[in-house]
Amino acid sequence: MSGSLEYGVSLYSYTGEYGVTMTLDDCIEDVADLGATGLEILGEAHIEDYPNPPTAWLDAWFERLDRFGLTPTCYGSWVDHRRFPGRDITEDEAVQQLETDIRLAARLGFKYVRPKLGVVTADLEPHPVWEPATLRVLDLAEQQDVIICPEIHWPSVIRSKVVDDYIALIERTGTKHFGLLMDTGVFQTSMHHRSGGVPSRMGRGSARPPITPVVPVSDLEDVLQHVVHVQAKFYEIDDELQDHYIPWAEFLEVLVRRGWSGFLSSEYEGDYATGRAADQLRRQHALLRTLVAKETS
Amino acid sequence: MSGSLEYGVSLYSYTGEYGVTMTLDDCIEDVADLGATGLEILGEAHIEDYPNPPTAWLDAWFERLDRFGLTPTCYGSWVDHRRFPGRDITEDEAVQQLETDIRLAARLGFKYVRPKLGVVTADLEPHPVWEPATLRVLDLAEQQDVIICPEIHWPSVIRSKVVDDYIALIERTGTKHFGLLMDTGVFQTSMHHRSGGVPSRMGRGSARPPITPVVPVSDLEDVLQHVVHVQAKFYEIDDELQDHYIPWAEFLEVLVRRGWSGFLSSEYEGDYATGRAADQLRRQHALLRTLVAKETS
Amino acid sequence: MLDTTMIQTRGFKNTPGGFELRLRLPYYRGLWAGLIEGVTVTVDGETFAPEDAHWTIGELRGPLREIAASESARWPVDVAAVIGLRRDQPLSIGFHDVAAELAIQMSYIPEELQPTLWTEQRRLVVSR
Amino acid sequence: MLDTTMIQTRGFKNTPGGFELRLRLPYYRGLWAGLIEGVTVTVDGETFAPEDAHWTIGELRGPLREIAASESARWPVDVAAVIGLRRDQPLSIGFHDVAAELAIQMSYIPEELQPTLWTEQRRLVVSR
Ligand SMILES: [Mn+2]
Ligand SMILES: [Mn+2]
């Protein structure tokens, strides 16, 4: 089975530049300029007056897609279960949030919606509202022709209860509108420490996040049939066009051998120095295209 | 005689940021935010589709003046006598350029127009077209209620043939629509070497600019009665709020003692690092206001 | 456009009865107002409590708890918030050491590790 | 917005029959097109003569001498120009050393010191 890999960029990559040195126009133009065809956004970051963008914003959105020849890929959303101080959101509120984003994503032409779910325990168990709320919006997803795809994201790993539960939901319901989003940060072989940005720390107490094991790329084989979108998370491509954090050759070998089709949507998460995102994205696309050309030749 | 000093900023100050980290909106908002009331621009830098700004640009211009409580002070213009390759501009063309800028400046509400004149010799003699062309636009300046004020700018000095010729023109014609603009860079006590920006050099030959003497602030006394506007050129205010390049105390002492009225319009010309212009302008205004308060108390 | 820093250069100034400063959200997306716990501002060692801060986020104005009472209230990622604080004397012309600690709830981080605290100190100028 | 550098990151790429790159005016104001003498581009040691450059400045397109034939033609300071150059082979995917020397007439500097030359070298990536 022969797959087709396409190249995209998530505007998350421009976090250090967005609103500082780059407008939304600049970001979208940059994605097209570097030769990508897939455009990923974060609803709560990039849509003016989210979740109710003005007509002028919508007009500009479609005009840009057309002018730059870009296809909307994935729309990032959040289910913030601590949104109301003092209590967790209810199932109805979670459904409402999901519906809002599914409708808005579909309206903008996206095929994938990634809801980021809240966690309730130190070992990153998702808030229990995820499953009933998801089940209640599957029909809307079908009607709007989008696939809901929670993200497998560091420090979560592939072999975990949460991923098993996602797959069980797919198998139990037989839905075509739920899948997995694979963030390649899961496969990082060493930890990148970003420079720049405003210093932050977690909490006022002494709790610390868990130590995360290195996830072998081979773990991807077990779940790949359910992966509908890849966020090609990366931190730094060096001056020799090498990435010392993400094992791209191994990762792409699996995708090509298995004939996986879909978008590799770049998520730059490295240093914040001005101008670095645009340069690093070009380096990554040069690296990915070079490796894929080798795999497929 | 008691004068009144007012504080302004020239958008020239944001050269390192304009179009990079700051829009025109940002620049104008910053001027108001730092407590200035006078706004100076460069026609050829800041006016969209110069010299024919669209209606929307004009509307936004007046809306901002109103919202931020800013008064247009000086409009910088150029008479580029080498504008047409292979020949100098004619007197008619110089008149046309001056007329264009006088009309546009007046339309935007400016009171002063600074034409930057081309030079023809190594000792900075202005192109001879300046005098007949100026004489031909004095009536228009009167009609448009603006004062034409060529700039005394480093490496030119106050005691020079060109300044004598300017004053002679005023005395001979008795015009109220021609004056002098004093750029405080003339009084620099040492040379600042700016870092950042794109490296440039003059020419492919071996010619080098003249060595410029230090101009004592006392020279200002001779010409002050003709000075209609001050560009408060500066390079760096240090972490103790001291300026080691421009002798502000001496300069302001003369202005206050002589009862000079008008705008001190800041021209930051220091290092180009991002964010530096906005910080340095605030330092300079803090310094100028502190010194003036001392002089007048 | 915004400064990279959380505390913006533009916006720090005396106001009638106090002073104000501007903060950007040092995060990659906008947030529902209820996720913002508050900001503690310190100027030259003088600390201003989060509950005394008057917030302006675009058209939204008031104490944070009043702003967050509207379920649709958001802090967009590309909009700086103006934080107004009361002070008897105006800040002097010249340099001031300004610090801010912004506390936010990140739903996808376990609660025992929350709030996430962003802290920054800058030397800013009062220019008039 | 523009990069601080004269040679912009955005815009360097292969085109049918050659490649292009974008330049900003590294100056503080826009200029009448007749004041621009030209740009010499070098990629990995291969030099492209100024007279072979195809310019695009907003709506204006063509060799510089044709653009400057219109007396109203300008290069605004906040608009990057696209410089198109012919090349038989596309540039390879990966890094390239790109240099540009931009020559401009400054009327207020004595002619014997002109043109003013801005030079810059950057390492840019062809990404596809
Ligand atoms: Mn991701
Ligand atoms: Mn000046």
Side-chain angles (χ1 to χ4, degrees):
Chain A
M1 151 178 153
S2 162
S4 94
L5 292 177
E6 298 184 82
Y7 298 86
V9 175
S10 167
L11 296 195
Y12 171 81
S13 303
Y14 302 101
T15 292
E17 319 274 357
Y18 181 62
V20 175
T21 60
M22 293 175 86
T23 63
L24 183 65
D25 256 335
D26 290 321
C27 294
I28 295 179
E29 191 194 331
D30 200 57
V31 172
D33 185 77
L34 66 84
T37 53
L39 176 62
E40 176 164 356
I41 71 166
L42 311 179
E44 296 196 27
H46 302 118
I47 297 175
E48 185 179 330
D49 295 342
Y50 168 92
N52 302 302
T55 308
W57 191 93
L58 291 166
D59 292 346
W61 171 256
F62 292 112
E63 186 278 323
R64 285 193 204 98
L65 294 183
D66 196 49
R67 176 158 41 106
F68 295 127
L70 292 170
T71 301
T73 58
C74 183
Y75 170 109
S77 82
W78 281 261
V79 180
D80 276 304
H81 71 275
R82 296 186 208 125
R83 176 179 162 186
F84 303 109
R87 65 171 182 90
D88 282 9
I89 55 167
T90 62
E91 187 183 305
D92 281 355
E93 288 166 341
V95 167
Q96 209 167 34
Q97 177 73 67
L98 287 166
E99 286 178 346
T100 296
D101 287 305
I102 289 168
R103 288 183 195 282
L104 184 48
R107 190 168 172 201
L108 299 178
F110 288 95
K111 287 287 166 250
Y112 307 104
V113 173
R114 184 240 42 197
K116 185 107 177 169
L117 305 161
V119 301
V120 288
T121 63
D123 61 346
L124 309 173
E125 187 88 10
H127 191 282
V129 79
W130 86 264
E131 190 157 12
T134 300
L135 289 168
R136 284 174 57 185
V137 299
L138 283 181
D139 283 353
L140 179 67
E142 181 168 5
Q143 179 203 311
Q144 299 284 324
D145 197 21
V146 302
I147 299 176
I148 301 168
C149 47
E151 182 174 352
I152 311 181
H153 186 283
W154 183 96
S156 291
V157 295
I158 293 178
R159 293 175 187 267
S160 60
K161 177 172 182 303
V162 53
V163 175
D164 292 346
D165 289 349
Y166 293 152
I167 292 173
L169 182 144
I170 296 169
E171 291 176 344
R172 200 169 67 245
T173 62
T175 182
K176 302 277 182 229
H177 295 276
F178 191 82
L180 300 177
L181 189 162
M182 190 70 234
D183 182 297
T184 55
V186 165
F187 304 112
Q188 57 186 283
T189 52
S190 62
M191 183 86 182
H192 181 270
H193 296 278
R194 180 167 57 201
S195 65
V198 179
S200 70
R201 66 179 199 281
M202 285 183 196
R204 296 195 171 88
S206 57
R208 284 295 161 264
I211 305 294
T212 310
V214 172
V215 174
V217 173
S218 55
D219 282 6
L220 177 63
E221 304 256 14
D222 305 342
V223 298
L224 188 59
Q225 62 175 306
H226 301 294
V227 172
V228 294
H229 186 64
V230 168
Q231 286 180 344
K233 167 72 55 61
F234 75 112
Y235 308 99
E236 187 177 11
I237 312 290
D238 75 9
D239 293 345
E240 310 300 322
L241 218 64
Q242 300 294 314
D243 186 325
H244 300 285
Y245 299 94
I246 310 292
W248 293 113
E250 278 180 72
F251 178 76
L252 293 169
E253 188 276 329
V254 173
L255 295 194
V256 171
R257 174 166 46 76
R258 293 277 298 269
W260 187 84
S261 286
F263 277 94
L264 302 172
S265 185
S266 299
E267 279 197 329
Y268 172 63
E269 195 172 288
D271 297 346
Y272 274 143
T274 296
R276 211 163 190 282
D279 181 50
Q280 284 283 320
L281 286 166
R282 284 164 174 75
R283 292 182 185 207
Q284 193 207 28
H285 277 233
L287 173 59
L288 295 178
R289 287 178 188 272
T290 302
L291 289 173
V292 168
K294 270 185 207 158
E295 280 298 331
T296 51
S297 69
Chain B
M1 148 179 155
S2 162
S4 95
L5 291 177
E6 298 183 83
Y7 300 85
V9 175
S10 167
L11 296 195
Y12 172 81
S13 303
Y14 301 101
T15 293
E17 318 276 357
Y18 181 61
V20 175
T21 60
M22 294 175 85
T23 62
L24 183 65
D25 257 333
D26 291 321
C27 294
I28 295 178
E29 192 195 329
D30 200 58
V31 171
D33 184 78
L34 66 86
T37 53
L39 176 63
E40 175 165 358
I41 70 166
L42 312 179
E44 297 197 27
H46 302 118
I47 297 175
E48 185 180 331
D49 294 343
Y50 168 91
N52 301 302
T55 306
W57 190 93
L58 291 166
D59 291 347
W61 172 258
F62 292 112
E63 186 277 325
R64 284 192 204 100
L65 294 182
D66 196 50
R67 175 158 43 107
F68 296 126
L70 293 170
T71 301
T73 59
C74 182
Y75 169 109
S77 83
W78 282 262
V79 180
D80 276 304
H81 71 275
R82 296 186 209 125
R83 176 179 161 187
F84 304 109
R87 68 174 181 88
D88 282 8
I89 55 166
T90 62
E91 186 183 305
D92 282 353
E93 287 165 342
V95 167
Q96 209 167 31
Q97 177 72 66
L98 287 166
E99 286 179 347
T100 296
D101 286 304
I102 289 169
R103 288 182 195 282
L104 184 47
R107 189 169 175 201
L108 299 179
F110 287 95
K111 288 285 167 251
Y112 307 104
V113 173
R114 184 237 45 195
K116 186 106 178 170
L117 305 161
V119 301
V120 288
T121 63
D123 61 347
L124 309 172
E125 186 88 12
H127 191 282
V129 80
W130 85 264
E131 191 157 11
T134 301
L135 290 169
R136 285 174 57 184
V137 298
L138 282 181
D139 283 352
L140 179 67
E142 181 167 5
Q143 180 204 311
Q144 300 284 324
D145 198 20
V146 301
I147 300 177
I148 301 167
C149 48
E151 183 173 352
I152 312 180
H153 186 284
W154 184 94
S156 290
V157 296
I158 295 178
R159 293 176 187 266
S160 60
K161 179 174 182 301
V162 54
V163 175
D164 292 347
D165 289 349
Y166 292 152
I167 293 172
L169 181 144
I170 297 169
E171 290 175 346
R172 200 169 66 245
T173 62
T175 182
K176 302 277 183 230
H177 294 277
F178 191 83
L180 299 178
L181 188 163
M182 191 70 232
D183 181 298
T184 55
V186 165
F187 305 112
Q188 58 188 281
T189 52
S190 62
M191 183 85 182
H192 181 270
H193 296 279
R194 180 168 56 201
S195 65
V198 179
S200 71
R201 67 181 200 281
M202 286 182 195
R204 296 194 170 89
S206 57
R208 285 294 161 266
I211 305 295
T212 311
V214 172
V215 174
V217 173
S218 55
D219 282 7
L220 177 62
E221 304 256 13
D222 304 342
V223 298
L224 188 60
Q225 63 173 304
H226 301 295
V227 172
V228 294
H229 187 64
V230 169
Q231 288 179 342
K233 167 72 54 64
F234 74 113
Y235 309 101
E236 189 176 10
I237 313 290
D238 74 10
D239 294 345
E240 311 298 324
L241 218 65
Q242 300 295 312
D243 187 326
H244 301 285
Y245 299 95
I246 310 291
W248 292 111
E250 280 180 70
F251 177 76
L252 294 168
E253 188 277 327
V254 174
L255 294 195
V256 170
R257 173 167 46 77
R258 292 278 299 268
W260 187 83
S261 287
F263 277 94
L264 302 173
S265 186
S266 299
E267 279 197 328
Y268 172 63
E269 195 172 288
D271 297 345
Y272 275 142
T274 297
R276 212 162 189 282
D279 180 51
Q280 285 283 320
L281 285 165
R282 283 163 174 74
R283 294 182 183 206
Q284 193 207 28
H285 278 234
L287 173 59
L288 296 178
R289 288 177 187 273
T290 302
L291 290 172
V292 168
K294 270 184 206 156
E295 280 297 332
T296 53
S297 70
Chain C
M1 308 292 279
L2 300 169
D3 292 330
T4 295
T5 50
M6 176 168 67
I7 303 171
Q8 304 289 294
T9 300
R10 212 180 307 157
F12 178 57
K13 59 187 166 204
N14 287 308
T15 53
F19 68 97
E20 60 186 33
L21 76 167
R22 283 194 215 175
L23 298 182
R24 65 169 290 193
L25 194 46
Y27 187 43
Y28 58 80
R29 61 162 171 146
L31 291 173
W32 298 111
L35 295 164
I36 307 161
E37 290 200 354
V39 66
T40 308
V41 172
T42 306
V43 177
D44 304 322
E46 181 181 2
T47 296
F48 299 83
E51 54 274 20
D52 295 335
H54 181 277
W55 286 64
T56 306
I57 308 174
E59 307 291 304
L60 308 172
R61 287 155 202 273
L64 201 49
R65 64 179 178 283
E66 283 179 23
I67 287 176
S70 158
E71 296 198 354
S72 65
R74 294 184 56 82
W75 187 1
V77 73
D78 53 352
V79 173
V82 179
I83 310 297
L85 293 160
R86 287 183 300 276
R87 191 171 190 272
D88 290 339
Q89 297 296 316
L91 297 168
S92 60
I93 289 185
F95 292 108
H96 295 278
D97 290 315
V98 181
E101 181 187 75
L102 180 69
I104 283 174
Q105 278 292 337
M106 300 275 149
S107 293
Y108 57 75
I109 295 175
E111 201 154 6
E112 53 264 50
L113 298 171
Q114 292 301 291
T116 294
L117 300 165
W118 273 276
T119 52
E120 191 177 67
Q121 175 152 345
R122 294 192 64 196
R123 198 154 201 237
L124 295 182
V125 179
V126 168
S127 52
R128 71 168 295 176
Chain D
M1 310 290 281
L2 299 170
D3 292 330
T4 296
T5 49
M6 176 168 69
I7 303 171
Q8 304 288 295
T9 299
R10 213 180 306 159
F12 179 56
K13 58 186 165 205
N14 287 307
T15 53
F19 68 97
E20 59 187 33
L21 75 168
R22 284 194 215 174
L23 297 181
R24 65 170 290 194
L25 196 44
Y27 188 42
Y28 58 79
R29 62 162 169 145
L31 292 172
W32 298 112
L35 295 164
I36 308 159
E37 290 200 352
V39 65
T40 307
V41 172
T42 305
V43 178
D44 305 322
E46 183 182 359
T47 297
F48 300 83
E51 54 273 20
D52 294 335
H54 180 278
W55 286 64
T56 304
I57 308 174
E59 307 290 304
L60 308 171
R61 286 155 202 273
L64 199 50
R65 63 178 181 283
E66 282 178 23
I67 288 176
S70 158
E71 295 198 352
S72 66
R74 294 184 57 81
W75 187 3
V77 73
D78 54 353
V79 173
V82 179
I83 310 298
L85 293 160
R86 286 184 300 278
R87 191 171 190 271
D88 290 339
Q89 295 297 316
L91 297 168
S92 59
I93 289 185
F95 291 110
H96 295 277
D97 290 314
V98 182
E101 181 188 76
L102 179 69
I104 283 172
Q105 278 292 336
M106 301 276 149
S107 293
Y108 57 76
I109 296 175
E111 199 154 8
E112 51 265 48
L113 298 171
Q114 291 301 291
T116 294
L117 300 166
W118 273 277
T119 52
E120 192 177 66
Q121 175 152 345
R122 293 192 65 197
R123 198 155 201 236
L124 295 182
V125 178
V126 168
S127 51
R128 73 169 292 179

